[in-house]
Amino acid sequence: MKKHQPSDTGRRSFLKTTGHLMIGFNLLPLAFCQTKGATNEIPAYPGIPLRPHVDGKLVDSWIRLDAEGFLTVLSGKQELGQGIKIALIQIAAEELDISPDRCRIINSDTGQTANEGFTAGSNSVEGSGKAIRNAAAEARRYLLAMAAEKWSTSPDSLSVTNGTIKSPKGDEISYWKLLEGKHLEGTVTGTAPTKAPRDYRYVGQSLQRDDIRKMALGEPHFVHDLRMPGMLHARVLHPPSYHAKLESLAPTAVESMPGVVKVIRDGSFLAVVAEREYQAVKAREMLKSLAVWSEVPLRPLPRELAESMTTSLGKVEEVQMSPGIAETIKSSTISLQAEYFRPYHMHASMGPSCAIALWEEELLSVWTATQGVYPIRATLADLFSLDEEKIRCIGVPGSGCYGQNGADDVSGEAALIAKKLPGRPIRLQWMRESEHQWEPYGTAMAFRLAAGMDAEGKILAWDTTLWSDSHSTRPNGRAGSFVSARHLDTPFEFRKGGFSAGSYRNGIPEYSIPAKQLQLYNFAGPLRTSSLRGLGAYANTFAMESFLDELIHRAGKDPIEFRLENLEDPRARAVLEKLAEKADWKSRQKTALNGFGIAYSRYKNSTSYFAALAEVDIDKANQTYRLKKLTGVIDSGLVINPDGLRNQCEGGMIQSASWSMLEEVRYDGNGIISENWSSYPILRMMDVPEVEVHLIDRPDTPPMGAGEAAMGPVAAAIANAIFDATGSRIRDLPLKAEKIAWNTL
């Protein structure tokens, strides 16, 4: 295949001398840049994997001044729709005093960016943002020192306007002219002074996101949109259930179908490759009709799951203990115990997972929507017993993720298929049924909570016992993490991990309670699980804040006042106080046909603060309810992009409402039943409530991740609102109307 060549040989020569061969070329990562000067053309194969400066201690591992007069930001974090690209550009542009219009960004490319692990846990701004801020500050100090030496003056006397340094005497020189072909030298020491918040011009502004514009206009943006010369299309036929094995297949009829290039069988791994996509789809349907499988029933069944979890044997993990807590609760004036349950949830990505892979001369390139290009590179190296340096993984946005959906699996499968057809790019896209049935779900969880209060409503003791499967089986160097690697003729072993911390995230109350206890039981459930937005924080907060609402009701207290009385952190109190103000809590119009619910948490007990109010209307005649409005208040420290932060909160609130009201993975002994949008309903546009988000900006504090902060509080707020309206407490998700005790109203 003909490789892509840069057209400007002079620029190429210049970039070679600086060691920045990639910057400015029309290669894939720049095709998804979101600022002026970046091309929209979908590029060809980039060729041999690069070895750029990817040492996180080097300035030019994070920012580079390229030959075209642009600043290029490099980040190992993937754009997942959370707006990280524009936020990181704002941070770099601010520290270097360069207009964001002159900035572009490359995300998640093992050939260009540093290894920042997974894009997960709402850590991108805290991690990558901090690294880029420090690198930009270091670069500014270095450049001002160069200019000061050139003009025999002090760096402190110089100013910068859009990348041009100016002296008191009227001398001017741009960053790019000053470098004259040199690259930014030096390491990131962390000692370079960063700009004071009072001087910010770009941070704190709602700059527009180009990815949203592209999606609105239908322009190429996702990995699904990539088209390459000579590209073939593939489809995989996954087994009908987890433990099914392929017994027999007569592929002749499929191989003779129009456009079919190859049928691939390796153990129970089945795939078809064709010249056109619809030909691959039709061939897969034929494969499905011909394949004969042996199957093993799934157990326990859904009706047995909660009991199976809470009665399972195993060693308890004592996360936090408080001797004598059971007696304290028993002897309290008010004591309460309740059990809660969360079912399996899907990522339910709107577009099925997709990846493109190309083998050429024992070099593998994969265009992937993974959340971790370096971890998946290590996993591919294990799959093929190949040196990691011979694999390049290029991150491209996918159509929905927030955890480990099928993006990693489809990348591994595309590489397996491409290995059989070297020299031609292989585009593999899952079918909808594969996405629903084979993605790793957010795990089911069970909770048993107990607490005791005194006569004045002061909580004296809180005891949590929870049961949970793994919250992370991400590919991180072991090929068995790819689901199809387990189906090969020589299968790779799968080792489940990721228990513990993800399970009890947000499981210990922040409230001022003298005795707190949490015990965890790891449970190996029947379905495949891994990371889903918030991990255990969503269900823990749902259970905790619902149970707290029960205690508040028993004590006859106001839901906001009670929380304020039992929270010491002034920032926690502030989000609740602002929620009460913005929602006009004390003057709310309570009727027999509506209800209001409050919930609060600080994500991970260490990052963003979030308080939520849900308002529901009930319809007694039709025995249903409607989520009318959600109001949220968030404190994420320094706000980089206000509109972006609101986007994150609004999306999280709506997704949480969908999880909480509708979603649960249905299965039986034969496998997953939830294989489409009818059998796995999600919140439709007509049912989306009014959403209102208020921000507390704290410019003098570090920015914190916000993407997962809303998930748990919204779930509990809706449950508490239903109770407020009906007096019926729903303790097991989803919060379906049929679970309300309508006959008692």
Side-chain angles (χ1 to χ4, degrees), residues 206-501:
S206 293
L207 302 188
Q208 292 185 359
R209 289 171 48 184
D210 198 57
D211 58 330
I212 292 178
R213 181 191 63 80
K214 288 180 178 179
M215 286 184 274
L217 296 178
E219 293 181 1
H221 174 68
F222 298 110
V223 66
H224 307 69
D225 300 322
L226 289 179
R227 296 294 183 270
M228 298 182 183
M231 187 172 74
L232 296 173
H233 295 270
R235 285 295 190 273
V236 168
L237 177 63
H238 294 100
S241 59
Y242 287 153
H243 307 294
K245 292 187 180 298
L246 184 62
E247 293 295 324
S248 65
L249 175 70
T252 305
V254 180
E255 292 170 335
S256 62
M257 292 179 71
V260 171
V261 175
K262 193 175 186 65
V263 174
I264 297 169
R265 176 182 178 179
D266 186 342
S268 294
F269 175 66
L270 276 179
V272 62
V273 184
E275 293 287 350
R276 299 175 61 183
E277 186 170 16
Y278 189 59
Q279 292 170 337
V281 172
K282 295 295 289 183
R284 179 190 178 276
E285 290 302 306
M286 176 69 77
L287 273 181
K288 188 176 180 179
S289 68
L290 297 173
V292 178
W293 305 86
S294 63
E295 300 188 52
V296 178
L298 284 176
R299 294 289 186 274
L301 296 174
R303 63 179 180 272
E304 305 161 344
L305 183 59
E307 182 179 359
S308 178
M309 294 178 76
T310 55
T311 58
S312 63
L313 300 176
K315 183 178 180 181
V316 65
E317 181 176 344
E318 297 177 340
V319 178
Q320 181 171 319
M321 301 302 292
S322 180
I325 194 169
E327 184 57 37
T328 301
I329 293 173
K330 183 178 180 180
S331 61
S332 297
T333 303
I334 301 173
S335 62
L336 185 65
Q337 178 174 305
E339 294 185 354
Y340 295 82
F341 182 76
R342 172 221 174 149
Y344 291 100
H345 282 148
M346 287 185 189
H347 300 81
S349 299
M350 298 303 293
S353 295
C354 180
I356 297 176
L358 173 64
W359 280 90
E360 195 169 54
E361 299 173 356
E362 289 305 307
L363 299 173
L364 170 62
S365 292
V366 181
W367 289 261
T368 171
T370 181
Q371 288 190 213
V373 288
Y374 277 91
I376 202 170
R377 184 180 73 164
T379 311
L380 288 166
D382 185 49
L383 179 63
F384 296 108
S385 298
L386 190 66
D387 189 329
E388 289 187 23
E389 301 304 314
K390 294 186 176 182
I391 303 172
R392 183 175 174 191
C393 293
I394 303 166
V396 189
S399 59
C401 191
Y402 295 103
Q404 185 195 343
N405 63 351
D408 297 311
D409 294 304
V410 78
S411 300
E413 292 170 350
L416 282 168
I417 297 167
K419 181 73 171 175
K420 304 288 187 181
L421 293 162
R424 298 191 68 174
I426 302 296
R427 180 185 183 274
L428 172 63
Q429 180 174 305
W430 276 8
M431 302 298 290
R432 170 53 54 192
E433 65 186 63
S434 294
E435 188 72 35
H436 271 44
Q437 294 176 322
W438 281 96
E439 67 142 277
Y441 307 124
T443 182
M445 299 177 70
F447 305 84
R448 184 173 295 141
L449 304 180
M453 294 194 304
D454 64 18
E456 286 71 43
K458 175 68 176 177
I459 303 177
L460 303 175
W462 184 291
D463 188 10
T464 297
T465 305
L466 69 92
W467 292 261
S468 177
D469 205 335
S470 170
H471 287 269
S472 182
T473 55
R474 293 180 183 274
N476 197 6
R478 294 186 179 276
S481 298
F482 292 139
V483 69
S484 285
R486 309 172 208 171
H487 300 154
L488 300 176
D489 188 50
T490 303
F492 285 80
E493 180 185 4
F494 171 59
R495 299 179 186 176
K496 184 177 290 191
F499 284 103
S500 300

Side-chain angles (χ1 to χ4, degrees), residues 164-192:
T164 296
I165 305 172
K166 300 178 181 180
S167 77
K169 295 180 179 180
D171 301 307
E172 292 188 4
I173 189 169
S174 74
Y175 288 153
W176 298 269
K177 180 67 175 175
L178 182 63
L179 283 173
E180 292 183 333
K182 301 176 183 177
H183 64 76
L184 287 167
E185 297 178 352
T187 59
V188 182
T189 64
T191 63

Side-chain angles (χ1 to χ4, degrees), residues 144-205:
L144 290 180
M146 286 182 67
E149 183 178 1
K150 180 181 181 69
W151 294 327
S152 300
T153 187
S154 167
D156 294 337
S157 68
L158 306 177
S159 62
V160 183
T161 302
N162 197 16
T164 296
I165 305 172
K166 300 178 181 180
S167 77
K169 295 180 179 180
D171 301 307
E172 292 188 4
I173 189 169
S174 74
Y175 288 153
W176 298 269
K177 180 67 175 175
L178 182 63
L179 283 173
E180 292 183 333
K182 301 176 183 177
H183 64 76
L184 287 167
E185 297 178 352
T187 59
V188 182
T189 64
T191 63
T194 55
K195 188 180 288 189
R198 64 178 178 274
D199 298 325
Y200 285 164
R201 295 183 59 200
Y202 308 120
V203 168
Q205 300 301 311

